[in-house]
Amino acid sequence: MQDVLWPVRGVWLFLRHPRWWIRPLVGMFFSLCAFIGLGITTAWWLWPSAADVGWLYWWWSLFAVGMGCAVVVIAWVVSLPVLMSLLLEDLARRVLRYTKQHPDILSRPVGTEKLSDLATGIQKISQAELPMLPGVLASLKVLGGTLVPRLGWMGASLLSGIVVPPSGIVVSALGMGHIACIDACDIALSLHGLNGERRLSALRAHRNEIRQAALSAGVLNLGLAATIIGWVVWLPGIVVGAVLQTQNWAELSVPTAPSITPQPPVP
């Protein structure tokens, strides 16, 4: 269940730590204004005229709303790596430091798959982040390696907004949740110095886990978006949850060096 609800857990932990709020909330507030403005502008431009009456007016109204949501998703997919880098990387570092000070927060229920790592003496990697240029190249590699879901959600949002306009809102929320989970996990992995290939390998290995979490992230997106201002805690919360969740991934672990008993010299 924890694999499904870690976005919710991240939002809850983020809300409990006001010291983490200032930069993410200010940045997300202005991002929210930009996304809302873009969606409203699109819907207004496509809104039916007074000449349209009856069912035609309602259909075009729903179409305008669906297309507004689709445009927001496209803008989200395109701008999310920049938002993550500028607004939320520092938050991810703070959460990582917090996990080192409070390792109990990483505990998982007995019987989950990652607990077997502890029995074999696996320890966490303490490798530093990559330098700037290798880090940018690694991020671009991950971006290229995850183009399929990004383009897929953009296409699904556009198609649903055209064919069944009301469904565009739900599809858009799920798409934003899926891409947010991918990029949040990527940032969490980058803090451990993993290059682009290793990060892509980890994301592929945990593909189903990320998809499950995307469902709860999408539902949470719809719920918080209904409150308007509450949405600003959504993406920071997903980043917090991703940092906690990826700490249990085997890709961030290395086996301890085997102990060697000194042998007496051969006479």
Side-chain angles (χ1 to χ4, degrees):
M1 197 65 180
Q2 186 168 334
D3 289 344
V4 178
L5 296 179
W6 61 256
V8 179
R9 184 188 182 202
V11 170
W12 175 245
L13 186 63
F14 179 72
L15 290 174
R16 289 173 53 195
H17 291 79
R19 289 181 297 178
W20 298 349
W21 289 1
I22 297 179
R23 183 174 179 181
L25 291 188
V26 171
M28 291 309 301
F29 173 76
F30 285 107
S31 300
L32 173 64
C33 293
F35 287 128
I36 289 179
L38 185 61
I40 290 177
T41 300
T42 302
W44 176 82
W45 185 60
L46 295 172
W47 202 259
S49 64
D52 297 314
V53 294
W55 68 268
L56 190 60
Y57 177 87
W58 290 107
W59 190 92
W60 276 110
S61 299
L62 292 173
F63 174 77
V65 172
M67 292 305 294
C69 292
V71 169
V72 169
V73 171
I74 294 173
W76 173 264
V77 171
V78 171
S79 64
L80 187 57
V82 178
L83 287 178
M84 288 282 195
S85 178
L86 295 179
L87 302 179
L88 301 176
E89 272 192 5
D90 184 64
L91 172 63
R93 295 186 187 98
R94 290 188 176 202
V95 178
L96 185 59
R97 289 195 295 267
Y98 180 83
T99 63
K100 293 178 180 178
Q101 298 167 0
H102 303 83
D104 56 297
I105 200 172
L106 299 176
S107 62
R108 295 172 66 96
V110 175
T112 52
E113 56 182 356
K114 301 301 183 297
L115 287 181
S116 61
D117 294 343
L118 300 178
T120 57
I122 287 182
Q123 298 177 335
K124 290 295 175 186
I125 291 176
S126 59
Q127 187 175 352
E129 294 180 55
L130 295 173
M132 179 177 291
L133 182 56
V136 170
L137 294 176
S139 296
L140 290 175
K141 186 175 184 65
V142 173
L143 182 63
T146 56
L147 275 180
V148 172
R150 295 175 194 275
L151 295 177
W153 279 115
M154 286 193 290
S157 298
L158 282 172
L159 186 62
S160 61
I162 294 172
V163 178
V164 188
S167 69
I169 298 174
V170 177
V171 172
S172 298
L174 293 175
M176 292 173 71
H178 189 195
I179 301 305
C181 287
I182 291 174
D183 285 349
C185 289
D186 178 48
I187 278 190
L189 295 172
S190 72
L191 299 181
H192 297 270
L194 273 66
N195 60 26
E197 188 60 41
R198 292 180 63 192
R199 281 148 62 177
L200 275 175
S201 176
L203 292 173
R204 293 190 189 105
H206 297 270
R207 182 186 293 114
N208 290 335
E209 181 180 324
I210 293 173
R211 287 173 178 170
Q212 292 169 7
L215 178 61
S216 62
V219 173
L220 190 62
N221 185 11
L222 285 172
L224 292 174
T227 68
I228 306 299
I229 194 63
W231 185 84
V232 299
V233 305
W234 180 69
L235 187 57
I238 290 180
V239 170
V240 173
V243 173
L244 299 181
Q245 185 70 10
T246 55
Q247 291 301 294
N248 298 294
W249 288 8
E251 289 79 6
L252 295 185
S253 304
V254 290
T256 53
S259 57
I260 301 175
T261 304
Q263 300 293 329
V266 179

